[in-house]
Amino acid sequence: MIDLYTAATPNGYKVSIALEELNLPYEVHALDLGKLDQKQPNFLAINPNGRIPAIVDRSADNFAVFESGAIVDYLIRHHGG
């Protein structure tokens, strides 16, 4: 299972599309950028840059990946079959 931390932005959509295309199970955690959810300590522990999107791969010992291109690359390499 993958936790997806995102918001309704083009970069956020890229990861959602990749997860759907790879048919991977995931849970969305929607962040409110207007309330600066991405700058809160619990999110900064996942992505110190404080930007969306980010994922936590629970099946890989809670491995965190951030930046949309890096996430898509990771998903294909580790879950793309």
Side-chain angles (χ1 to χ4, degrees), residues 3-79:
D3 289 316
L4 169 61
Y5 297 85
T6 192
T9 68
N11 283 332
Y13 293 140
K14 290 176 193 177
V15 176
S16 297
I17 292 167
L19 288 162
E20 288 291 330
E21 288 295 321
L22 292 167
N23 199 31
L24 296 173
Y26 67 100
E27 183 176 334
V28 175
H29 302 274
L31 300 179
D32 186 335
L33 303 180
K35 292 183 179 177
L36 298 178
D37 288 349
Q38 75 279 16
K39 303 298 184 185
Q40 298 306 309
N42 59 334
F43 183 72
L44 292 174
I46 297 166
N47 180 0
N49 294 335
R51 298 175 59 194
I52 61 100
I55 65 167
V56 174
D57 188 347
R58 292 189 215 167
S59 67
D61 198 28
N62 293 322
F63 186 70
V65 184
F66 47 90
E67 300 294 336
S68 58
I71 294 169
V72 171
D73 183 63
Y74 172 84
L75 292 173
I76 291 169
R77 288 177 186 260
H78 294 274
H79 296 284

